[in-house]
Amino acid sequence: ARSCFTLSRDSPAAVADVWRAFADEQQKRLWWGAGDQAETREWVFDFRVGGRDIDEGQFHGGPLSRYEATYTDIVEHTRIVTTYDMWLDGEHMSTSLASWEFEGTATGTRFTRPSASRR
């Protein structure tokens, strides 16, 4: 089955600050980390075209989640495109193409994420 969706969110932060939440490993861990909800099993951060990200964690009392992404396009402060796969307890759940788009607004940043998945 295929699915497509688009999410948009406005942030009062400047584009460069929102961008760092993806491009800077420390910032990404703050944004994307599960905190006390899960134990990290594997983390790989390689933010460049052709680079890979891996985030695997075991939720306390819950499933093992694994995310593997490859960066296919990066335009600083404008766009990030990845292909990624998701697993839950070792079962492949989906393959997706996602882009994150960053646009300055009068009050901060509009962050849009069009995505297409296939299961």
Side-chain angles (χ1 to χ4, degrees):
R2 290 182 192 195
S3 64
C4 297
F5 62 91
T6 299
L7 303 172
S8 289
R9 183 174 186 174
D10 289 344
S11 170
V15 170
D17 294 332
V18 176
W19 179 264
R20 271 193 297 281
F22 292 85
D24 178 84
E25 184 172 9
Q26 299 285 13
Q27 291 297 313
K28 188 167 185 178
R29 275 177 107 43
L30 289 172
W31 256 48
W32 295 84
D36 294 337
Q37 299 175 20
E39 176 188 331
T40 299
R41 297 280 180 94
E42 185 175 2
W43 173 269
V44 174
F45 179 82
D46 187 8
F47 186 75
R48 62 183 176 84
V49 173
R52 296 194 51 182
D53 278 2
I54 298 173
D55 187 1
E56 180 177 284
Q58 178 74 52
F59 288 92
H60 300 300
L64 176 67
S65 173
R66 184 172 180 87
Y67 163 88
E68 290 187 19
T70 301
Y71 293 101
T72 58
D73 186 40
I74 298 172
V75 179
E76 188 172 11
H77 298 163
T78 302
R79 177 179 61 248
I80 301 168
V81 180
T82 66
T83 57
Y84 69 91
D85 290 279
M86 294 291 301
W87 287 265
L88 197 57
D89 284 334
E91 181 180 341
H92 185 255
M93 302 304 293
S94 64
T95 299
S96 301
L97 170 65
S99 64
W100 288 266
E101 298 167 4
F102 306 82
E103 177 185 0
T105 66
T107 58
T109 301
R110 175 158 296 133
F111 168 70
T112 305
R113 182 178 179 248
S115 183
S117 297
R118 183 164 181 96
R119 165 91 172 105

